[in-house]
Amino acid sequence: MTVTRVDKDVDTLTLTLVADFTAPVERVWQLWADPRLLERWWGPPGFPATVEEHDLTAGGGVKYHMTGPEGEKYGGWWRVSSVTPPTSLEFTDGFADQDGRPNPEMPVTTVRMTLTGRGGGTRMELRSVFDTREQMEQLAEMGMVEGMSQAVGHRLRELPARRRRAA
């Protein structure tokens, strides 16, 4: 897997990450659909994720937290607006307080993820849309661009093998 492009467009308030995988679309979809696989890469290096709730249906959501190097916890949530397995997922992504509730003082982004078959592999496009330039700048200052690039580019070097069913 390779991150091929990261585009930050302040005029359209978007951050787009494009990555190419050698695995088929159905396999790459599992990185989102399987909460244990999501935990392996969602979050920057040094901040592993723990998925507490995972419902990838329209109206469903994901609740998670990342644990920092000193044991500090940073909560997050998704509200799923649409899902078309195995090719697309759209959700609102936000920060949570210490009790796991959405933190209204922090920005939220709308995220659209698409998977497209490409030459025997898969291209993933992850597009985040911000409400304001200030929110975009705040999340950029917090390391969102580098964190997402590192999470996708370094933590997903090898897609885990498909699980075998018990006989």
Side-chain angles (χ1 to χ4, degrees):
M1 191 287 316
T2 304
V3 173
T4 57
R5 190 173 82 237
V6 179
D7 297 319
K8 181 180 170 188
D9 186 335
V10 294
D11 293 329
T12 61
L13 301 176
T14 58
L15 174 66
T16 304
L17 180 140
V18 177
D20 291 316
F21 294 81
T22 58
V25 169
E26 294 79 11
R27 193 68 197 111
V28 178
W29 171 255
Q30 289 305 308
L31 295 171
W32 297 88
D34 182 332
R36 303 298 72 93
L37 293 179
L38 184 62
E39 288 176 337
R40 292 180 63 172
W41 71 275
W42 188 255
F47 291 80
T50 301
V51 175
E52 300 160 9
E53 297 175 14
H54 187 270
D55 177 6
L56 290 190
T57 59
V62 173
K63 182 178 173 186
Y64 65 92
H65 68 269
M66 292 181 229
T67 304
E70 305 297 319
E72 64 278 24
K73 291 188 178 183
Y74 302 96
W77 56 269
W78 299 353
R79 189 171 317 114
V80 177
S81 51
S82 68
V83 58
T84 307
T87 59
S88 68
L89 173 65
E90 189 167 339
F91 57 96
T92 303
D93 182 22
F95 293 86
D97 64 18
Q98 296 293 8
D99 296 320
R101 293 184 303 256
N103 184 343
E105 296 178 18
M106 295 297 291
V108 298
T109 56
T110 300
V111 179
R112 174 124 178 106
M113 186 282 299
T114 57
L115 300 175
T116 308
R118 182 180 162 111
T122 302
R123 171 159 282 181
M124 179 174 73
E125 182 174 304
L126 191 57
R127 174 180 230 115
S128 299
V129 181
F130 304 85
D131 289 335
T132 66
R133 184 174 285 202
E134 292 76 24
Q135 289 179 346
M136 185 177 198
E137 289 171 1
Q138 178 182 4
L139 290 175
E141 287 175 14
M142 293 173 65
M144 178 182 182
V145 177
E146 296 83 5
M148 185 58 83
S149 297
Q150 290 174 350
V152 173
H154 297 281
R155 296 181 79 185
L156 286 180
R157 289 203 184 278
E158 196 170 307
L159 190 61
R162 180 174 296 152
R163 292 185 184 143
R164 296 182 185 261
R165 294 183 185 191

